[in-house]
């Protein structure tokens, strides 16, 4: 039967194990990535995300159908269920260094796609590059809840939401539309 939500990957046996350099798969009605399947397929990607600087990082997962993004075991963005290409963003206060990364994905039918993006201190929004992903290493430590990890949001009429990270000299515009 076709899945309608992310499966319990721990209860499944993989039919294929492989390594990828990045998660940037445009929606397609053909086979998803190198899975050899177009429909009724799931994928669990694990590794390390290396961030170059302490700060507040915006991470997003865009998928068709469902997906979920975890950093250091915490859910950052949940995009579960049956839908076309939809992006969900989340924020993570991270120290410079490596952080455990897990991306869960499933495709029931129709199009299948998955993209992982990042934005943060001195890094414009982009697909997470291969240079920030690795299979080897030990985790860094999450930023503390107080001290250097602070931010303020401000809404602007018809001009989006501004975000300022503690110690920054300028605001960024993470979300458009009404603030």
């Amino acid at each position: 039967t076709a899945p309608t939500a992310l499966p319990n990957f721990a209860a499944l046996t993989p039919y294929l194990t492989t390594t990828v350099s990045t998660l940037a798969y445009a929606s397609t009605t053909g086979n998803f990535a190198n899975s050899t399947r177009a429909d009724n397929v799931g994928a669990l990607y694990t590794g390390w995300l290396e961030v170059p600087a302490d700060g507040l990082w915006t991470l997003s997962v865009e998928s068709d159908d469902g997906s979920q993004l975890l950093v250091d075991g915490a859910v950052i963005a949940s995009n579960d269920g049956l839908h076309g290409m939809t992006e969900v963003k989340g924020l993570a206060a991270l120290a410079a260094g490596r952080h455990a990364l897990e991306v869960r994905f499933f495709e029931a039918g129709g199009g299948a796609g998955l993209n992982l993006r990042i934005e943060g201190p001195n890094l414009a929004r982009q697909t997470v590059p291969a240079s920030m992903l690795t299979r080897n290493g030990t985790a860094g430590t999450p930023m503390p809840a107080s001290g250097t990890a602070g931010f303020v949001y401000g809404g602007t009429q018809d001009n989006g939401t501004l975000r300022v990270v503690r110690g920054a000299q300028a605001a960024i515009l993470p979300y458009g539309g009404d603030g």
Side-chain angles (χ1 to χ4, degrees):
T1 63
T4 58
L6 285 162
N8 175 3
F9 284 99
L12 300 175
T13 302
Y15 71 93
L16 174 69
T17 301
T18 188
T19 301
V20 299
S21 60
T22 191
L23 297 178
Y25 301 108
S27 186
T28 179
T29 55
N31 290 342
F32 172 73
N34 59 354
S35 71
T36 71
R37 296 183 181 179
D39 296 318
N40 302 325
V41 64
L44 176 63
Y45 298 95
T46 60
W48 302 97
L49 170 68
E50 185 157 357
V51 295
D54 294 355
L56 189 63
W57 293 85
T58 300
L59 295 149
S60 69
V61 64
E62 178 184 30
S63 62
D64 175 2
D65 286 308
S67 60
Q68 190 175 53
L69 167 63
L70 293 88
V71 175
D72 293 331
V75 175
I76 302 300
S78 190
N79 195 11
D80 203 2
L82 299 172
H83 51 76
M85 285 300 273
T86 303
E87 185 174 28
V88 174
K89 297 178 181 182
L91 299 171
L94 302 173
R98 290 186 177 168
H99 298 271
L101 177 70
E102 184 173 318
V103 178
R104 303 168 181 167
F105 169 79
F106 87 93
E107 163 56 16
L114 178 66
N115 292 296
L116 178 63
R117 296 187 179 97
I118 191 167
E119 172 186 352
N122 299 313
L123 185 69
R125 184 175 181 272
Q126 61 184 279
T127 297
V128 176
S131 63
M132 292 180 76
L133 299 172
T134 184
R135 295 184 319 146
N136 304 312
T138 56
T141 56
M143 291 285 284
S146 62
T148 60
F151 56 93
V152 175
Y153 281 97
T156 60
Q157 179 66 38
D158 297 326
N159 290 305
T161 300
L162 299 172
R163 179 177 69 214
V164 179
V165 177
R166 182 181 307 216
Q169 299 299 313
I172 62 171
L173 183 69
Y175 309 105
D178 268 343

